[in-house]
């Protein structure tokens, strides 16, 4: 919805996307903590709801199909120097937080109860992680779009989970797979004359 509103009013797409993304992430955390559903279910319900609202807002514009295509599937060739700078800044912020709070992330992922018992603010850490995920999705939207950015976030990590048992190696393998897929998918899309975003995700 943030992208849709920013697009209609010719505002900064990144700012609109981040505001909506952060609110969506925090809503997911709230629903998972206070509701009777698990976090993955909360992600599905809230994400799809926000997604539908965004499509609804975009459908009010005259060039509905063209606008929606760019937002949903991205346009790698339209990435500007400003976009690259934004991606670099977000990457530095997210990686800094990952390394600075590495032990806390491990506890949050594998033993939340122990983290709470030693006094760590697990709720705040969970919200911070969700906002970091939202930031990551937002900056990748320009390249692969709203839908495919989620696939790019999940698939390399899921693949790495299958081939290694160490968390640091898992992170390294996932990042390497994501980078390799981006380059290989772009080359494949060029030679096959197909859309770059979907090609990257399929690789």
């Amino acid at each position: 919805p943030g992208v849709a509103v920013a697009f209609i009013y010719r505002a900064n797409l990144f700012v609109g996307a981040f505001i909506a993304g952060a609110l969506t992430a925090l809503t997911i955390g709230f629903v998972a903590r206070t509701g009777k559903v698990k976090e993955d279910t909360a992600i599905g319900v809230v994400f799809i709801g926000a997604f539908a609202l965004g499509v609804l807002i975009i459908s009010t514009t005259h060039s509905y199909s063209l606008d929606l295509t760019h937002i949903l599937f991205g346009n790698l060739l339209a990435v500007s120097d400003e976009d690259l700078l934004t991606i670099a800044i977000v990457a530095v912020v997210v990686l800094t937080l990952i390394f600075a709070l590495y032990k806390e992330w491990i506890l949050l992922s594998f033993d939340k109860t122990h983290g709470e018992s030693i006094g760590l603010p697990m709720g705040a850490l969970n919200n911070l992680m969700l906002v970091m995920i939202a930031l990551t999705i937002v900056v990748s939207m320009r390249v692969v779009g709203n839908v495919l950015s989620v696939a790019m976030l999940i698939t390399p990590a899921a693949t790495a989970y299958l081939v290694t048992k160490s968390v640091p190696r898992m992170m390294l393998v996932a990042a390497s797979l994501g980078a390799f897929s981006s380059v290989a998918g772009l080359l494949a899309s060029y030679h096959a004359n197909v859309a770059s975003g979907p090609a990257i995700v399929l690789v």
Side-chain angles (χ1 to χ4, degrees):
V3 176
V5 171
F7 185 84
I8 289 172
Y9 290 101
R10 300 290 183 263
N12 188 302
L13 293 183
F14 175 79
V15 174
F18 176 65
I19 292 171
L23 287 173
T24 302
L26 294 173
T27 302
I28 288 167
F30 176 77
V31 170
R33 274 197 317 276
T34 60
K36 295 181 179 179
V37 296
K38 293 183 179 180
E39 193 163 58
D40 54 353
T41 306
I43 289 170
V45 172
V46 177
F47 179 78
I48 293 301
F51 179 74
L53 178 59
V55 173
L56 188 76
I57 293 169
I58 282 290
S59 70
T60 63
T61 64
H62 296 299
S63 53
Y64 165 53
S65 59
L66 180 63
D67 297 342
L68 193 61
T69 299
H70 283 135
I71 290 172
L72 295 187
F73 303 110
N75 187 357
L76 185 60
L77 300 180
V79 174
S80 64
D81 290 341
E82 184 183 345
D83 293 326
L84 292 175
L85 179 61
T86 303
I87 291 169
I89 291 170
V90 170
V92 169
V93 170
V94 170
L95 287 171
T96 300
L97 287 170
I98 287 172
F99 287 115
L101 299 170
Y102 177 76
K103 291 179 181 177
E104 287 81 356
W105 299 136
I106 295 295
L107 281 174
L108 180 66
S109 300
F110 298 105
D111 198 350
K112 193 179 292 186
T113 304
H114 177 66
E116 289 171 346
S117 69
I118 61 175
L120 290 175
M122 302 310 282
L125 283 167
N126 191 60
N127 286 339
L128 178 59
M129 182 182 68
L130 289 169
V131 170
M132 288 163 62
I133 292 170
L135 258 178
T136 306
I137 291 174
V138 165
V139 295
S140 63
M141 278 176 52
R142 182 75 170 184
V143 181
V144 291
N146 189 23
V147 176
L148 300 179
S149 61
V150 179
M152 282 296 290
L153 195 70
I154 294 170
T155 311
T159 306
Y161 178 78
L162 296 175
V163 297
T164 179
K165 300 300 179 186
S166 161
V167 173
R169 277 201 296 271
M170 198 179 297
M171 293 167 71
L172 184 62
V173 169
S176 300
L177 284 170
F180 170 78
S181 300
S182 299
V183 176
L186 181 60
L187 289 172
S189 71
Y190 172 77
H191 290 292
N193 195 27
V194 295
S196 55
I200 289 170
V201 170
L202 286 172
V203 171

